[in-house]
Amino acid sequence: MAFGRAKFSRSSSSSSGGLLSKLPLWILRFLQFIFAITVIGLYAQDLRRAQQGGVYSDSKWGFATAVGTIGAVSALVLAWPALSMWAWGWDLVVFILFTAVFGVFGALFIHENAEGNGNITRMKNAVWIDLINMLLWLVTALYGAIMFFFFRGSKSLHTGRATV
């Protein structure tokens, strides 16, 4: 090691921009995780209430809870930046799942008049959380696709010799 030169491992400094370039992605993944957990909390309440009452629980609520769980686990796993470029297809799948949840519950609750009913108000709010989730997953899918199609196979930042 010569004076003024430091060796860095691939994990500490990558040729795709370093730590600062990954910060927006980490923020997006953190928001995806938080909003997915919120979806689980909003929809699982009704599942729990139905189970405790011994009544039929609608599969729509089970689907929304499952999609929230998939979103939360995926956000945690995909927070590792090396996967983001390769997992844009999975981001697109989760985007489609949240689009389905938004469509189903939007049709049920957007035009519903709450009339002081707290459960209806909660579900109307849940629809907008679904929309936020849908848009967050769309953004990361587009980001991953752009990185995959435009920047794979490019040369390293500092020397230009290594293929990234």
Side-chain angles (χ1 to χ4, degrees):
M1 184 162 130
F3 263 151
R5 298 180 119 197
K7 283 190 172 182
F8 295 102
S9 69
R10 185 165 174 83
S11 62
S12 65
S13 172
S14 88
S15 58
S16 61
L19 183 63
L20 193 58
S21 69
K22 291 167 184 48
L23 188 62
L25 180 66
W26 285 335
I27 291 170
L28 282 171
R29 295 295 185 194
F30 177 72
L31 290 173
Q32 286 173 337
F33 177 75
I34 295 300
F35 282 110
I37 294 295
T38 305
V39 165
I40 294 169
L42 289 169
Y43 290 101
Q45 291 178 30
D46 292 329
L47 290 175
R48 188 175 135 271
R49 190 176 303 121
Q51 189 259 342
Q52 286 179 340
V55 295
Y56 170 75
S57 61
D58 197 341
S59 62
K60 294 174 197 146
W61 275 259
F63 175 70
T65 305
V67 170
T69 304
I70 290 169
V73 170
S74 297
L76 286 177
V77 170
L78 297 177
W80 187 40
L83 290 177
S84 292
M85 183 167 82
W86 302 101
W88 62 271
W90 181 251
D91 284 339
L92 196 59
V93 167
V94 179
F95 160 73
I96 291 168
L97 290 173
F98 273 111
T99 302
V101 172
F102 174 72
V104 166
F105 287 95
L108 288 174
F109 291 106
I110 286 179
H111 300 294
E112 187 75 23
N113 188 359
E115 298 173 2
N117 186 341
N119 288 330
I120 300 292
T121 303
R122 177 176 49 84
M123 293 311 298
K124 287 175 79 80
N125 293 332
V127 168
W128 301 116
I129 298 295
D130 296 335
L131 177 65
I132 291 169
N133 267 311
M134 183 183 82
L135 295 174
L136 286 170
W137 285 97
L138 176 64
V139 167
T140 55
L142 291 174
Y143 170 79
I146 289 169
M147 293 300 290
F148 181 79
F149 287 112
F150 291 112
F151 294 111
R152 86 184 143 119
S154 62
K155 297 296 182 182
S156 65
L157 180 65
H158 298 292
T159 63
R161 292 182 296 199
T163 301
V164 181

